[in-house]
Every structure is written in structure tokens, then in C-alpha cells.
Amino acid sequence: MLDRTQPDPNQSAEDVASHGVPEHVAEDKPQGWRPLNWLKRAGQFFFALSFSSLTRRIVSLNLAGLVALVASILYLSQFRAGLIDARAQSLLVQAEIIAGAIAASATVQTNAITIDPDRLLDLKPGETYGGSDEYSPLDFPINPERVAPVLRTLISPTKTRARIYDPNGSLLVDSRNLENVLRYNLPPPAEKPGIVERGMVAVRTWLNRGDLPLYRELGPENGNGYAEVGDALQGQKRSMVRVNARGEVIVSVAVPVLRSRAIHGALMLSTQGDDIDQMVTAERLAILKVGGVAATVMIMLSLLLASTIAGPVRRLADSAERVRRRIKARIEIPDFTRRRDEIGHLSGALRDMTSALYSRIEAIEMFAADVAHELKNPLTSLRSAVETLPLARNETSRARLLEVIEHDVKRLDRLISDISDASRLDAELQRQDAIPVDLRRLLTTLASVANETKLGHDVAVETRFEGRGPTDTFAVTGHDSRLGQVVSNLLSNAQSFSEAGSKVRLTCRRVRGEIEIVVDDEGPGIRDDALERIFERFYTDRPHQGFGQNSGLGLSISKQIIDAHGGRIWAENRAGPLDADGAPTVTGARFVVRLPAL
């Protein structure tokens, strides 16, 4: 019997490929590939971050600041200036030493007799030939043959260039021509630099140039064209810093060649151009290395910062997009309110907005369903009456049907008016600005109007303000017209449920940080199962009135107005004395409104 964990030796490779790997191997494979899955997820995360606009901006701005800092350091490096000054000082000391050596040894021999044949023929009898007086002890020419060994000995180890000029500014000796004067195999002419080299030269020129003058190679007869040489021929030491066409810094100094306080020429020493640049380049490479490390750290920190900003913002945006499309019944906005920053505040605001939006949508849907239901009843009754009217056999039946039609039309008109008022209530409350409302004056006015009109009921309204004195203010922030609508509705309901000759008590008091308005009547009270339902839309409980005499939207609209003002409204029964069974009696209904005090 073959072991299932081992491959069948009689099974071909095609069978293995077609049937796949054994079951236990397939189960072990995901565990072995788990690190690759982690790497894949990490790659997807960084890919999403890299293509995020906010992430790109954060990384770009941080890197821009770092690049500007590194570029400023490279451009304004103090090391370069100090190195150039030190190099100029060392060249001055070196030039003075070499000029002294030249003045001491590189002169024409003055103890030799020089005979001029032309002057011998011009001698008169008794005259002697005193030799040539062209050169005096204070005026001697510099012998290039003697200068060459001195320069070769002193200049070669320093890797500098030396040039000697005569008093007229003509070039006598150039150390560049002292070695390898004769060359049979000349090197091929230099090729034209490529794009990369030209780019490097341009960058180096930009970094080194600054306000330095450009160095130009002058001819052998134009030594005075160098400002330092001209000053040296006048007996002054001077140094100059220039930049050549390749962006290399050239430091040159010139000193006079003096003997017996007489100027017999000028010595000019200059760097070869790359020695200072090599040291500066090394320093800049170190700065670039530090900048590279700092850039890497900054990119990582920027990505970390972006992940704490762009990631939550993206999740919030996706959730908001799903809310707009409303793919599901209710979309939950991610909760970042634990973060004490703007992202947490944005998350909380979006969650509150979404919750309010869903509540508004649900309220609109429920309102539409209730409106359709309430409108359907009178329309059905009206339709039945209209269809039955042609079939009425006598005037009594016809009159009864017309009365039903008139009742249903009035009911529809009343419903449409109340529905219109309820539908535009939110919009009006949002458009109008809340202002301070003096409840003492508002309640006094409403009570006076109710006593004058009494709305078909012989029920008086009694107003009372409970406070420390008559000057106490009862002010809230809101809309006086809508608050007046609430109080008028409560007073009208209280009068309609009270018996003729009774009273409705309107009380206003301050309860801690709130203003409380209480409306008490002497009616039958409210059934216990209806204390909460009376604030529902289209609910009415008026057994003493005929069907359809009230729309049932008054208390619902009142609750909506009070909720918009940040207050509360509820109903309760007024407890009276105990009855024979020991249960408290009901002496009337009480509606309580509490609003935040100003």
C-alpha cells in the first residue's frame, strides 16, 4: 500500500501537474509564503502612500528645505574661504623665500670684463677702456639659466606654478616649461568634453565662482595684465583669487625680486587649480553624505507623518464617498476622535454630520410615509363619497354625502397646511439667526392674546413668573416667532381640554441654567400609554371631538422646535388627592418646556 505522503512512483510528471500538489503541502504553502505576503502588503502600503498627493507634498516640501540647506552650506562653506586664505598666506611665504634665493644666485657675473669692439675703435689717444657700464651693482639682469635650477629645486615639491617677469612685465621663466621641454611623442589633442563633464564643470563653476573674477592666461609680454604682478613690480606684495573656465579656484601671489633695495623683477606663484578643489570636493562629499543620511531619515519621517495624515484622510474620504453613494443602509465613518488633533476633530465632525444626515433622511422617509398614510384616509373617504353621490336616491342621502365631502376637503386642507408648516420648519430655523428672546414679555403677550380670543373656549389663562423680583430676566437664545408658536399651541390644547370657567396656569421659572415653562390645565389628563405618543406625528387623542377635527401635528411641531433650540419638552399628569382605593387622582395635564438660559 502506498503512503499518501509520498509521490506515486508510477505517476507521471503530467499527472502530478494536472492533479496538483498533495493536500498537506497545499496547506503548508501559505505559511511558508507568509513573509512574502507581508512584504507584498508593505509594498502596496508604500505604493499607495507614494501616489498620494498629500504624501508627495509633505515629502517634497521637507526635501526641498533640506536641499536648500545643503545647497546653502555648499555654496557658503567657510572651510573653502579659510582654506583659500591659508593657501594664499603659504604662497606668500614661499614666494618670498624663492625671490630671495633668486636675488642671491640667479644674476649675471659682474667680475667679468666685457669688451665691445665698436667702442675700441672709437677710443682716442690716452683713453682707456673701462668695460661696459651697462650693468651697475644696483641694476643687474636675472639670468634665466640660473633661475631654472633654483625653480626646479624649490617649485617641484610644492605643485605650484612659478613665473618670473622682468621690470618691464615680460615673462622670463615659466616653471611649466622647465620640465619635458623636448617631447617627441606629443599627446593627441584633448577631445571636446561630453555633456556630463560640461554639466559638472557648470555646477562647479556656479559653486566656486561667487564674486570671484575669471582667470585668463595672458601672453608672455603682458605680465602687467595681472594686477598682482603690477603691484609687485611697484614693490608691493599682493595675492589674488580667481576661477578659471573649468570652475577651478586659482590662488596667485606676486612678490618683487629685490637686491640692495632695487626691484629687478617679480615672482608670481599660482596654484595648479585642482589641489584646493580636491580638498573642497572632499569636504562637500562629506556634507553630501550627511545630507543623504538626513534626506533618508527625513523621507522616512515624512512617510510616517503622511501615514498618520493621508491614511486617515483617505479613509474618511472613502467613507464619505460611500455615504454619498449609499451603497449600504448605513455607512459608519471611521472613528479617530481619540486623536487630539485636526484629524480627530474632522472625524468627529463627519460622524456627527453623517449621523444627523441619516437621522434627517430617516425622518423624511418616516414623514413621507406618515403623510401618505394620513392623506390616504380622507382621499379614500372623499373618493367613496364622490363615487356614491350620483347613486343617491334622495336629497337626504345627497346632503349627507356632500357633508362628508366638505368634511374631507377641510381635513385635507388642514393636513396640507400643517404638513407644509412642518416641512419648512427646519429650513427656516437654519436660515434665521438666533437672537435673545425675552420670555417674560413673550409669555405675557401670548397670555393676553389667549384671554382676549379664548379660541371658542371660556377658559382664562393665568401667568406667573417665579423669581427673586420683578426685574429678573428670563431670556433665551432662539427664534421668538417659533417659541411663540410652541407656547400658543400648548395654551390652545390646554384650553380645548379644560372645562368652561376653569383656568390654565402658565408658569415661568429659572431652574439652575435653564428656563422652565409650565402649562397646567384642569382637564381629564393624559392616559399613561399616551404620554410619549402624543408627540408623534398625526397622533391625536380627542374623544370629545369628531374624527378628523385635528391633524395631530401641533405637538410634533412643538417638539421639533424645542429640539432645534437645544431644549426638552415632555408631558405629565397633575396628581391630586388620593381616591378611596389609595391611588392618586388626576387633576389635569401638565406640559413642561426647558430651554437653555442666556
Side-chain angles (χ1 to χ4, degrees), residues 534-548:
I534 59 176
F535 294 101
E536 296 179 0
R537 282 191 297 267
F538 305 110
Y539 178 82
T540 180
D541 186 10
R542 295 174 179 267
H544 60 284
Q545 289 186 355
F547 177 76

Side-chain angles (χ1 to χ4, degrees), residues 183-433:
R183 184 183 296 271
Y184 296 98
N185 297 324
L186 296 178
E191 298 181 357
K192 187 177 181 180
I195 298 178
V196 177
E197 185 177 357
R198 290 201 302 268
M200 294 179 62
V201 170
V203 172
R204 185 168 54 190
T205 302
W206 176 77
L207 290 174
N208 292 337
R209 179 65 186 271
D211 55 352
L212 298 178
L214 183 64
Y215 175 81
R216 292 183 177 86
E217 194 73 27
L218 302 180
E221 303 297 330
N222 298 326
N224 289 321
Y226 297 109
E228 60 269 31
V229 174
D231 291 345
L233 293 177
Q234 299 296 325
Q236 299 177 0
K237 299 181 294 184
R238 186 176 178 182
S239 62
M240 289 289 295
V241 181
R242 301 182 180 89
V243 177
N244 61 11
R246 295 182 58 84
E248 299 171 343
V249 177
I250 304 295
V251 179
S252 59
V253 297
V255 296
V257 178
L258 299 175
R259 186 172 184 179
S260 300
R261 297 183 180 181
I263 301 174
H264 300 284
L267 172 64
M268 179 180 177
L269 295 183
S270 59
T271 59
Q272 295 294 335
D274 58 347
D275 51 352
I276 294 178
D277 291 316
Q278 288 178 358
M279 290 182 283
V280 173
T281 302
E283 183 219 6
R284 285 173 175 164
L285 286 177
I287 295 175
L288 289 177
K289 291 179 181 179
V290 175
V293 174
T296 304
V297 174
M298 184 169 292
I299 289 176
M300 298 300 296
L301 293 179
S302 299
L303 291 177
L304 180 61
L305 175 63
S307 65
T308 61
I309 297 177
V313 170
R314 186 186 302 109
R315 291 180 58 187
L316 292 175
D318 293 340
S319 300
E321 184 67 20
R322 288 196 298 271
V323 170
R324 185 182 67 84
R325 296 178 180 176
R326 203 178 183 185
I327 300 175
K328 298 181 180 180
R330 196 177 186 94
I331 303 298
E332 188 69 21
I333 300 295
D335 187 7
F336 300 113
T337 53
R338 290 178 295 179
R339 296 179 48 163
R340 304 297 182 183
D341 55 7
E342 286 76 7
I343 300 296
H345 180 69
L346 176 61
S347 174
L350 285 178
R351 288 174 63 86
D352 294 341
M353 182 188 69
T354 306
S355 178
L357 178 61
Y358 279 127
S359 299
R360 182 67 59 83
I361 293 175
E362 293 173 356
I364 292 174
E365 292 176 351
M366 294 177 60
F367 182 76
D370 293 341
V371 167
H373 180 269
E374 292 298 323
L375 291 178
K376 187 176 181 180
N377 291 333
L379 285 176
T380 302
S381 175
L382 184 62
R383 178 181 178 182
S384 300
V386 171
E387 290 177 352
T388 309
L389 184 61
L391 304 178
R393 297 180 178 181
N394 51 44
E395 293 297 330
T396 304
S397 300
R398 184 175 285 105
R400 186 179 304 147
L401 291 174
L402 290 176
E403 183 180 353
V404 172
I405 292 174
E406 183 181 2
H407 177 271
D408 290 337
V409 169
K410 291 182 178 178
R411 183 182 175 190
L412 284 174
D413 181 67
R414 187 163 47 250
L415 280 173
I416 292 173
S417 299
D418 291 343
I419 290 170
S420 176
D421 188 20
S423 62
R424 67 171 181 268
L425 178 61
D426 286 341
E428 291 183 0
L429 292 177
Q430 293 295 330
R431 286 196 299 265
Q432 296 177 0
D433 295 331

